[in-house]
Amino acid sequence: MKAHIHVTLKKGVLDPQGKAIENALKTLGFNNVKSVRQGKFIEIDIDENDPKQAESQAKQMSNKLLANTVIENFHVDILENQ
Amino acid sequence: MKAHIHVTLKKGVLDPQGKAIENALKTLGFNNVKSVRQGKFIEIDIDENDPKQAESQAKQMSNKLLANTVIENFHVDILENQ
């Protein structure tokens, strides 16, 4: 079963990487870009058949390792048919 | 209008960062992790009301700047009501 985890910076936390992308896009002529935020996307293949269990495990992984919950939020999606 | 862009490594391209996460998860006791792939997630706020136009622009941005299309795939989602 596959878990898709998005880790994004919380609102109010400065995102220099996003800002750099925003400036680069404007330099390339994309002038209608209002803002850019960059996050991480992690796909984990879990050997588990119960979607509830898989989701619970993916949340534990995010809390323990993948996200720094002081400055980052995470969101877990479980793809049941894969 | 917001565009969500996922940039992921193509199949067959080595992903040392994903491998490092996989090993760290196993060290933490998550033994049913089969594989991990890491990608980038980019949220762009575009000043554009037409979803088709926004999607076309987000794809251009991905091709020109956000993804290295030699080794990476990208996927664009447009959130129409934001």
Side-chain angles (χ1 to χ4, degrees):
Chain A
M1 194 159 281
K2 283 191 177 164
H4 280 183
I5 300 170
H6 288 87
V7 179
T8 48
L9 285 168
K10 288 186 178 172
K11 272 190 187 166
V13 177
L14 281 180
D15 179 4
Q17 204 169 357
K19 197 72 194 166
I21 294 173
E22 184 184 329
N23 292 339
L25 286 172
K26 284 183 177 159
T27 307
L28 286 172
F30 295 102
N31 293 311
N32 54 359
V33 170
K34 286 201 284 187
S35 74
V36 180
R37 302 283 281 176
Q38 162 143 22
K40 281 179 284 187
F41 169 65
I42 299 152
E43 184 181 76
I44 302 183
D45 196 354
I46 304 176
D47 190 8
E48 173 64 61
N49 293 319
D50 178 5
K52 289 245 160 95
Q53 276 287 327
E55 187 176 358
S56 151
Q57 293 216 351
K59 284 184 177 170
Q60 280 182 49
M61 295 175 195
S62 304
N63 269 313
K64 284 196 183 168
L65 182 77
L66 306 174
N68 173 357
T69 53
V70 177
I71 55 167
E72 291 172 328
N73 291 320
F74 64 85
H75 178 77
V76 172
D77 295 300
I78 300 293
L79 312 189
E80 302 206 8
N81 51 0
Q82 287 186 48
Chain B
M1 193 159 281
K2 282 190 177 164
H4 281 183
I5 301 170
H6 288 87
V7 180
T8 49
L9 285 168
K10 287 185 179 175
K11 273 191 186 162
V13 177
L14 282 180
D15 179 5
Q17 202 169 357
K19 198 74 195 163
I21 294 174
E22 184 183 329
N23 292 339
L25 285 172
K26 285 183 175 156
T27 307
L28 286 172
F30 295 102
N31 293 311
N32 55 359
V33 170
K34 286 201 284 187
S35 73
V36 179
R37 301 282 282 175
Q38 162 143 23
K40 281 178 285 186
F41 169 65
I42 299 150
E43 184 181 79
I44 302 183
D45 196 354
I46 304 176
D47 190 8
E48 174 64 60
N49 293 318
D50 178 4
K52 290 245 159 95
Q53 276 287 326
E55 186 176 357
S56 151
Q57 293 215 348
K59 285 184 176 169
Q60 280 183 48
M61 294 175 196
S62 303
N63 269 313
K64 283 195 182 167
L65 181 76
L66 305 174
N68 173 356
T69 53
V70 176
I71 55 166
E72 291 172 327
N73 291 320
F74 65 85
H75 178 76
V76 172
D77 294 300
I78 300 293
L79 312 190
E80 301 206 10
N81 50 359
Q82 287 185 49

